[in-house]
Amino acid sequence: MSGLVAVLSVALGALTSLAVPGAGVALDADPVPEPRDLASDGHALFVVGRAHMPGLAWVSVCRESTLVHQATIEAADTARAAHHMAWPDGDEVLGMLSVGWPWPFIDMTWMRGAREDFPADPRDNLSESGSLTDAVRRAVSANPPPKVTLVWGSLAASAGSLAVPWWLALTLAARARRSAPARTARSSARS
């Protein structure tokens, strides 16, 4: 029984990790846009736009110019997006929607060519690149289809940390269920 409780707890932890962003979308929570930022791969400069809400994070990246001098600008989410699709070159725009709470473990990436409208160019808006809501809608409709990547370490961390409260609740429920017939038997034996 304890093995089943552990497996069920981890499964419920993973579902809870996805329920947090699902609740935000269902409740129509407003995403928090961030000011535009810059990133570098060492050879080129990129403009970055971001927005987030609990369990969802959006980042879009476009190439601005070639660097004359070496610049090191750290941007972990842009490097993660570029790892899935490669840095944009020319007029392309790279967009990535990350899903999962507390650590995102599903990455959906898109690369926009010259004639497409999604993802939006981060240079077009001072506070956010594209709409997080639009990214969620396109992820659900798969139009255009994203490249989906699972980040196994983040999945294990999210499911594992959220499995602890589920394990406690399921263990207490199992003990209460087992002890209820014993209490009933004792009370009927006394009568």
Side-chain angles (χ1 to χ4, degrees):
M1 181 70 174
S2 65
L4 177 63
V5 168
V7 169
L8 190 57
S9 297
V10 171
L12 288 170
L15 288 174
T16 303
S17 180
L18 293 175
V20 170
V25 170
L27 295 171
D28 202 23
D30 290 329
V32 177
E34 296 179 21
R36 286 188 301 183
D37 196 7
L38 298 175
S40 169
D41 69 345
H43 305 289
L45 190 63
F46 299 90
V47 177
V48 180
R50 295 181 179 88
H52 67 274
M53 57 192 290
L56 291 169
W58 171 253
V59 61
S60 64
V61 184
C62 69
R63 184 181 172 106
E64 180 64 21
S65 65
T66 303
L67 289 175
V68 176
H69 301 289
Q70 199 72 306
T72 55
I73 302 172
E74 295 294 324
D77 55 354
T78 56
R80 183 171 166 172
H83 174 73
H84 298 315
M85 285 285 230
W87 289 97
D89 188 18
D91 291 332
E92 297 171 331
V93 177
L94 170 63
M96 181 178 75
L97 178 67
S98 298
V99 182
W101 185 86
W103 296 280
F105 59 88
I106 300 173
D107 289 338
M108 291 174 266
T109 50
W110 294 267
M111 185 70 80
R112 181 188 90 175
R115 295 181 179 220
E116 297 161 342
D117 66 340
F118 180 79
D121 192 324
R123 295 172 291 190
D124 294 343
N125 189 327
L126 290 177
S127 63
E128 179 193 351
S129 164
S131 167
L132 178 63
T133 308
D134 188 32
V136 170
R137 181 179 55 80
R138 291 185 185 256
V140 170
S141 69
N143 183 16
K147 177 183 178 187
V148 180
T149 307
L150 285 175
V151 182
W152 293 105
S154 296
L155 173 60
S158 292
S161 65
L162 295 172
V164 173
W166 281 111
W167 178 81
L168 288 171
L170 292 172
T171 301
L172 292 174
R175 286 184 183 167
R177 185 173 163 240
R178 280 189 301 234
S179 64
R183 277 187 265 134
T184 305
R186 277 188 235 132
S187 66
S188 63
R190 290 181 192 151
S191 304

